[in-house]
Amino acid sequence: MIELRIRLLQKQEEIPYQLLLLADPSKKNIDTYILGADIYIAEKEEKIIACYVLKAVNSNTIEIKNIAVDPANQGKGIGKILLNNACETAKKNGFKNIIIGTGNSSIGQLYLYQKAGFSIINTVKDFFIDNYDEPIFENGIQCKDMIVLSKTLEP
Ligand code: COA
């Protein structure tokens, strides 16, 4: 069993850019969406090894803007734990839906999110071409479109 402590990052604590940049290569984008967002960190033996960012879209819907596990700890079920924790946090805060966006090339993430109960609701054509300075490639596929997935939070 992994001993993980998940908690809200306090205002005076350092922003875990090293983790956030794993999920989003643009620091400029990160700096825009973390304003007014809540950053949750996961600690193992007092070391920050993962994080996620939640930001309200409106009074019913909240978005996971970023989710990342440090490479040495990936593939051990932590992503799944964070996703469930994000859903629980959103539910506790009164939200009815939670959404997450990912790239068309992010095959593993699309698998993980759908397995966790998210369904595809929208595609934003050319999002990663229009909003990023450099082309992004993953799994030998160019990341062009954003796939938006949503999950209803059962009361
Ligand atoms: N390819 C294939 N399957 C993957 C995968 C990948 N890249 N990443 C996760 N999975 C699958 C696992 O096999 C597992 O499946 P199972 O439940 O059938 O065993 C399931 O998803 C959960 O995996 P888990 O170990 O909890 O994932 P993780 O701790 O590695 O976290 C990420 C997943 C995506 C958060 C992590 O890999 C990461 O930080 N990646 C870099 C940042 C990133 O891409 N963030 C998302 C941006 S949209």
Side-chain angles (χ1 to χ4, degrees):
M1 223 4 225
I2 312 154
E3 278 295 326
L4 266 194
R5 177 173 178 242
I6 303 174
R7 65 171 178 89
L8 190 60
L9 186 80
Q10 301 302 301
K11 294 271 177 281
Q12 71 279 8
E13 290 183 291
E14 241 176 76
I15 292 166
Y17 280 113
Q18 228 173 318
L19 288 170
L20 296 170
L21 285 163
L22 292 172
D24 186 339
S26 167
K27 184 169 180 292
K28 199 171 84 188
N29 280 6
I30 294 172
D31 282 335
T32 307
Y33 62 64
I34 58 173
L35 285 176
D38 286 330
I39 302 175
Y40 289 84
I41 51 165
E43 293 168 310
K44 189 172 93 177
E45 290 156 6
E46 286 171 36
K47 190 172 173 278
I48 300 172
I49 59 153
C51 71
Y52 68 83
V53 177
L54 283 182
K55 189 166 191 176
V57 176
N58 54 45
S59 58
N60 283 326
T61 304
I62 195 160
E63 180 173 358
I64 302 175
K65 299 293 296 183
N66 190 304
I67 180 164
V69 176
D70 97 279
N73 286 286
Q74 288 176 9
K76 297 177 181 172
I78 297 172
K80 211 187 302 185
I81 293 171
L82 288 190
L83 217 44
N84 287 334
N85 190 273
C87 293
E88 284 308 311
T89 305
K91 198 154 67 171
K92 257 187 248 158
N93 290 325
F95 291 93
K96 307 273 187 292
N97 303 293
I98 186 162
I99 63 170
I100 189 163
T102 193
N104 59 284
S105 52
S106 298
I107 307 301
Q109 288 79 346
L110 284 165
Y111 168 88
L112 169 63
Y113 305 152
Q114 290 178 86
K115 213 168 167 202
F118 286 76
S119 304
I120 295 172
I121 53 158
N122 194 15
T123 305
V124 186
K125 205 83 192 132
D126 293 335
F127 176 87
F128 292 97
I129 294 176
D130 297 342
N131 292 283
Y132 288 78
D133 295 336
E134 302 288 330
I136 305 166
F137 282 86
E138 260 182 316
N139 303 307
I141 307 167
Q142 185 169 7
C143 183
K144 295 180 187 168
D145 311 319
M146 186 195 279
I147 314 287
V148 184
L149 300 99
S150 169
K151 182 177 172 170
T152 303
L153 299 164
E154 304 300 342

